[in-house]
Amino acid sequence: MSAAMMWVVSPNSEVCNQLGFLETTRTRDSSNKKGLFRLKNVGRKHRCYSVFNKVGSRRTSVARRVVANPSGNLAISSEQLVYDVVLKQAALVKKQMRSREEDVDVKPEIVLPGNLGLLNEAYDRCGEVCAEYAKTFYLGTLLMTPERRKAIWAIYVWCRRTDELVDGPNASHITPKALDRWESRLEDLFNGRPFDMLDAALSDTVSKFPVDIQPFKDMIDGMRMDLRKSRYENFDELYLYCYYVAGTVGLMSVPIMGIAPGSNAPTESVYNAALALGIANQLTNILRDVGEDARRGRVYLPQDELAQAGLSDEDIFAMKVTDKWRFFMKKQIHRARTFFDQAEEGVTQLSSASRWPVWASLLLYRQILDEIEANDYNNFTKRAYVSKPKKIVALPVAYAKSLVPPSSRKLASN
């Protein structure tokens, strides 16, 4: 499973507003093999449009995010599509903060069947699942306030159940229709109609916190991708997949973890950091599991970058470490570390009680990259993992980092 409770770099929010990136204007472009989307009715004048980045006060060209495909239509990169979701979620959090200042409830309590005891039992069960499958993270959640702790457990369990649909013991029987039914259940629980006890915990959570349904739906889309896709032509396609299966968790969890009162960082930049950690962790999963995935006939590596390194799927299936492979892996590891670096900038902006588990996740997952290097880049037959002694050492380091207050400087979004 993609590491739960994980936290991408983003284009400017003004780009979204100026180009009108609405859901209704996105359609798949069958002539575009890069997994992009095209915009309907976008004028030529937007091709050269550029803006000032509000967060970093740096000039950003839209050409990096919006490109013309062979048919002449403008296409949105995966990064832009993801950032649209970031903006929406950040807006929800800002709205809640304003509402609290005005003493107005953002969302009413949902009406659940049974009594409060049953709801507490549902949360307790979520905690048990989290403790069983994510021990280190579970310990970190115990530092959170009771409400936040229970909410994070509920989100973790939903993500795990979703992942198990395509990665669990019954994965071979899962069909697109089964995922459609799972999405219908998701919509029901967001509307206060949970199907079972575990759904009830999440339904209560989303009624209390400004959590948007879109990241949850996007995660289900990631599961759909796993059913139909086993190759990724370029990093743009892989980026979108990493967002679907891991970056989404960051968007789900930031409203629960909360942003520190002393943070001067824009809300969007904190979400970007959360998203970056999710991307980094999933890229690390992919690099760690190359051999395991190859044995299942899957290659989660950019095909164009493999070709540039003089490699192909056949080289991966041969499972031999060569100089070409080492060179390729060094570049992939560097990219993952870059996302970890971006994530670190935002962890300190979280509320003090939420920082430790996030820092622990970041430090432990980052060390997997070190272990791949220590194995001489043999991720075909050797599984890179962080030993217990190293985990024990990392936890107090993560705790010490969690005590560092938010920086007074503003985060850069790029």
Side-chain angles (χ1 to χ4, degrees), residues 10-23:
S10 60
N12 189 301
S13 61
E14 291 182 15
V15 178
C16 307
N17 296 334
Q18 290 291 334
L19 296 186
F21 292 166
L22 303 177
E23 188 66 31

Side-chain angles (χ1 to χ4, degrees), residues 29-179:
D29 188 343
S30 58
S31 66
N32 181 4
K33 300 184 184 299
K34 294 187 177 182
L36 303 179
F37 290 73
R38 64 183 172 84
L39 285 175
K40 294 179 180 177
N41 302 322
V42 178
R44 180 177 304 215
K45 62 180 180 180
H46 294 306
R47 294 178 188 270
C48 302
Y49 186 81
S50 64
V51 295
F52 280 101
N53 185 304
K54 289 183 178 179
V55 179
S57 297
R58 292 174 295 169
R59 204 164 190 81
T60 306
S61 173
V62 176
R64 293 183 56 204
R65 316 297 179 195
V66 186
V67 297
N69 60 28
S71 64
N73 294 310
L74 288 183
I76 311 173
S77 70
S78 295
E79 191 173 347
Q80 178 63 64
L81 291 172
V82 172
Y83 192 55
D84 289 348
V85 183
V86 170
L87 291 175
K88 183 178 180 181
Q89 182 64 77
L92 284 173
V93 172
K94 290 176 182 177
K95 180 179 179 181
Q96 187 200 48
M97 292 171 66
R98 287 195 300 268
S99 298
R100 283 179 175 174
E101 291 173 358
E102 299 167 1
D103 293 323
V104 177
D105 292 332
V106 177
K107 294 181 180 179
E109 292 285 339
I110 63 169
V111 178
L112 287 171
N115 54 36
L116 186 60
L118 289 176
L119 186 56
N120 287 334
E121 186 180 345
Y123 276 119
D124 289 343
R125 178 57 188 144
C126 290
E128 291 170 4
V129 174
C130 187
E132 181 177 356
Y133 294 101
K135 295 179 178 63
T136 301
F137 183 79
Y138 173 78
L139 291 175
T141 64
L142 298 181
L143 292 178
M144 298 179 180
T145 62
E147 272 198 353
R148 286 178 177 170
R149 179 192 314 151
K150 292 189 297 183
I152 287 294
W153 291 345
I155 290 177
Y156 171 86
V157 167
W158 185 87
C159 291
R160 181 168 186 84
R161 294 173 86 187
T162 302
D163 186 77
E164 286 289 299
L165 291 174
V166 297
D167 247 359
N170 298 316
S172 60
H173 304 294
I174 294 298
T175 65
K177 286 187 177 181
L179 292 176

Side-chain angles (χ1 to χ4, degrees), residues 221-234:
D221 276 341
M223 304 305 115
R224 291 187 176 105
M225 266 182 131
D226 264 332
L227 290 182
R228 70 174 187 267
K229 195 173 178 68
S230 61
R231 299 292 188 278
Y232 295 83
E233 292 301 317
N234 47 52

Side-chain angles (χ1 to χ4, degrees), residues 6-9 239 247 250 270-283 336 338-344:
M6 305 170 299
W7 286 16
V8 166
V9 212
Y239 176 98
V270 180
Y271 275 93
N272 286 336
L275 200 48
L277 182 54
I279 299 293
N281 284 351
Q282 188 60 26
L283 289 175
T338 298
F339 279 106
F340 277 122
D341 290 342
Q342 293 162 3
E344 285 193 13

